[in-house]
Amino acid sequence: MQLKNFQTMPVKPLNTVVFSLFILAIFSAATALAAPTIPGTLCTVKGSDIQATCGSVSVVENLAKPNGRKLDIHYLVVPARADRKLPDPIFFFAGGPGQSATKLAWISNALFAKTSRRRDVVYIDQRGTGKSNGLQCPQGVSAMESLAPALAADAKKMLLAEIDVCLKALEAKADLTQYTTTTAMADIDAVRAHLGYEQVNLYGASYGTRAALEYMRLYPTRVRTAVLDGVAPATIGMPLSFVEDAKASFSLVSAQCAVDATCAANVAQQLPGQTLMDAAIALAAKWDVAPRKTVLAHPHTGVMMPVQLSGDMVLSTMFSALYLPTMASMLPAIIAQAQADNVAPLMALLMSFHSGVTDNLFVGMRYSVVCSEDTPRATPQQVVAQQGIAPFGKVLTESFLEACARWPKAKVDDAFYAPLKSTIPALLLSGGSDPVTPPRHAQSIMAGLPNAKHLVATHLGHGVAHQGCGPALLDQFYSAGNADKLDGACLNKLPRPLLFTVAKPKTVKPAGDAK
């Protein structure tokens, strides 16, 4: 009903007070539901036709130096589609560490398809990522994230040389000790205040859950609810924790192969007397001694280049595959084929991961977080113990620890590592075969979250919310403001992918052959 209609309605003097209260009630209701006007300029989400508002907030890099270097923290807001939207948006925390949130908006929008009808969705490039003084190594410097070190004959030497080049470039534009999770959360709250939101709902994935937990600790009154998808608390101890978790994930694939008649027969034929785990370890050891030389097309230029396939390469490719059960289902066939000297399937898998891996991974920010928050807490005994765990001990730890020995480190407050105690309603999601953030990490923080619910999707890997009924569960949770009546049984209806097998070529008789 439009307000002009009230002007023509006959109102008796005795009803004037009632009428005024009625009008006041209408305006009060509208005020309660209306979200603030979004400051910024109109923009389009890259890779889509989604209309959004983009802007930035200026902050100081070092809070102890208010007159020092300034940073522009960039944000992108996808506005709610409803006319009468709710005042509390979704704040999206990207993973990595080192991913740009705004660059993930195009793919994450489907996750909030229902929720975004009445709530804005806000993507903020955490300092050191995206346009927020992105700490990316110079073009051609791959650090530990790109293709070159995995294929180099002397990966360690190449890595350290590239880290030195990266440091020289980044220290000219940033104080690398000022890019920790705690420091970044002050930026996030500055953006919240700038956009005019009193309270927000959080969604964090992988490392983004660590950032969300820290925001909950520092700004508890600003958080209405939180979804933590693939929980990585500050105590996880990256990358050492990956060693055991990845082994457990790979063991599930090996066990699945052992009870699958076709997979077991293929492995027995190609790898007699070995389990899949044995075969992976043996293949890596063989290529460590004598790297397999081959030629492959560069994923960006298409230029053919000679490469040497090392043991670290096969293990890092296997580790990457474990993130996605559909990819992990290919490992038995790929390993068996590599043992038979057919490296084409392995190379195809490698290319699928590395062709665009540096596009949205800001390596400098990644090191600034992990080298300050995680690796300093590892004792020499823990490092030695983890590196000795097959098959992933060495490949997942050595390069990172070598890089962190060179990287500038911030002093992190002890409170950052204390288990969070909060009554904020939270939904924790875990994939049962996740190689980096399995259910045990979510369970480790449940004691301090009395209003949280932990749902496990048994057959999923890294990232749960975007699969199956996940988006619907998110919408139910955000709408209710709690997880009391949330039923996650639908997550376990998602089956484990069938194992991929290599079809045997058929013998075709020549035309006219009567025999």
Side-chain angles (χ1 to χ4, degrees):
M1 181 179 293
Q2 297 180 352
L3 292 181
K4 64 180 182 181
N5 293 337
F6 286 108
Q7 298 173 1
T8 61
M9 295 173 65
V11 181
K12 297 180 180 180
L14 290 177
N15 292 334
T16 300
V17 174
V18 175
F19 174 74
S20 298
L21 291 174
F22 178 58
I23 293 295
L24 179 62
I26 290 177
F27 278 116
S28 297
T31 301
L33 288 172
T37 302
I38 303 171
T41 59
L42 294 179
C43 60
T44 302
V45 175
K46 187 176 180 180
S48 74
D49 58 357
I50 300 169
Q51 299 300 304
T53 298
C54 295
S56 65
V57 174
S58 179
V59 301
V60 293
E61 182 183 53
N62 187 335
L63 296 177
K65 298 179 179 180
N67 296 321
R69 181 188 287 118
K70 299 294 193 297
L71 305 178
D72 288 331
I73 305 301
H74 285 258
Y75 61 81
L76 181 152
V77 182
V78 178
R81 301 187 298 276
D83 291 332
R84 299 180 68 194
K85 62 184 181 181
L86 297 170
D88 46 292
I90 309 296
F91 268 36
F92 179 92
F93 290 81
Q99 288 187 312
S100 156
T102 62
K103 287 189 176 183
L104 294 174
W106 71 275
I107 195 171
S108 301
N109 188 64
L111 178 63
F112 306 112
K114 291 185 177 180
T115 304
S116 61
R117 286 178 300 191
R118 300 194 68 192
R119 284 187 168 90
D120 297 339
V121 182
V122 182
Y123 301 87
I124 304 170
D125 281 343
Q126 187 169 325
R127 61 165 59 195
T129 71
K131 295 181 179 179
S132 300
N133 200 29
L135 301 180
Q136 188 55 287
C137 292
Q139 185 68 29
V141 177
S142 57
M144 69 173 296
E145 307 301 339
S146 77
L147 183 62
L151 303 179
D154 191 348
K156 179 178 175 180
K157 182 178 179 181
M158 184 175 182
L159 168 70
L160 296 182
E162 292 183 344
I163 287 296
D164 290 340
V165 173
C166 187
L167 275 172
K168 184 177 180 180
L170 295 184
E171 287 182 323
K173 60 179 283 188
D175 176 351
L176 297 176
T177 67
Q178 298 300 312
Y179 290 79
T180 60
T181 305
T182 299
T183 304
M185 292 308 100
D187 302 339
I188 301 299
D189 199 58
V191 172
R192 176 205 59 76
H194 174 74
L195 294 175
Y197 300 117
E198 289 298 316
Q199 273 199 321
V200 299
N201 302 277
L202 310 181
Y203 172 83
S206 193
Y207 162 75
T209 66
R210 175 183 294 191
L213 286 166
E214 182 67 348
Y215 189 82
M216 292 165 68
R217 181 179 78 87
L218 295 173
Y219 306 98
T221 62
R222 297 302 183 185
V223 183
R224 175 178 175 266
T225 64
V227 174
L228 308 175
D229 187 2
V231 182
T235 53
I236 192 174
M238 299 182 289
L240 295 183
S241 64
F242 296 168
V243 176
E244 291 186 18
D245 293 334
K247 180 180 180 180
S249 179
F250 185 62
S251 295
L252 291 175
V253 179
S254 185
Q256 184 185 6
C257 181
V259 297
D260 182 286
T262 303
C263 184
N266 286 346
V267 169
Q269 181 180 1
Q270 295 289 343
L271 317 168
Q274 294 181 306
T275 65
L276 194 63
M277 181 77 77
D278 295 334
I281 294 171
L283 181 63
K286 181 173 71 173
W287 284 2
D288 271 339
V289 174
R292 172 70 157 76
K293 296 182 179 181
T294 187
V295 176
L296 96 127
H298 190 282
H300 295 297
T301 65
V303 175
M304 301 303 292
M305 60 182 184
V307 295
Q308 295 187 84
L309 310 183
S310 66
D312 282 357
M313 180 278 296
V314 68
L315 291 175
S316 63
T317 302
M318 285 170 48
F319 171 69
S320 297
L322 293 172
Y323 276 65
L324 299 170
T326 50
M327 291 288 194
S329 69
M330 301 178 185
L331 289 177
I334 288 173
I335 293 169
Q337 289 293 305
Q339 281 280 35
D341 208 37
N342 176 15
V343 299
L346 179 64
M347 297 309 300
L349 186 64
L350 177 66
M351 290 297 96
S352 70
F353 291 119
H354 288 284
S355 60
V357 73
T358 59
D359 291 347
N360 191 30
L361 188 60
F362 292 80
V363 176
M365 182 273 199
R366 185 180 183 87
Y367 285 138
S368 287
V369 169
V370 177
C371 298
S372 291
E373 298 174 5
D374 293 86
T375 59
R377 290 167 59 86
T379 66
Q381 293 79 8
Q382 288 174 321
V383 172
V384 171
Q386 294 302 100
Q387 288 187 335
I389 296 175
F392 300 108
K394 180 173 174 287
V395 71
L396 295 185
T397 60
E398 187 174 52
S399 295
F400 232 126
L401 293 172
E402 290 284 354
C404 283
R406 282 165 146 71
W407 206 263
K409 299 171 185 62
K411 179 175 173 51
V412 180
D413 189 55
D414 289 342
F416 176 69
Y417 301 102
L420 178 66
K421 295 183 178 180
S422 172
T423 57
I424 295 170
L427 173 62
L428 281 59
L429 301 171
S430 300
S433 61
D434 189 336
V436 289
T437 57
R440 72 183 181 101
H441 298 304
Q443 201 58 41
S444 72
I445 66 170
M446 283 293 290
L449 303 174
N451 293 327
K453 179 172 286 189
H454 181 204
L455 301 180
V456 178
T458 304
H459 302 309
L460 295 186
H462 192 58
V464 171
H466 62 287
Q467 301 192 59
C469 61
L473 290 175
L474 259 62
D475 184 56
Q476 293 172 36
F477 172 71
Y478 288 133
S479 295
N482 60 69
D484 295 347
K485 297 182 179 180
L486 216 59
D487 183 0
C490 58
L491 292 173
N492 286 316
K493 293 180 180 179
L494 298 170
R496 189 183 301 279
L498 296 176
L499 294 172
F500 177 81
T501 57
V502 179
K504 295 181 179 179
K506 294 183 178 180
T507 301
V508 180
K509 293 182 179 181
D513 190 348
K515 296 182 180 180

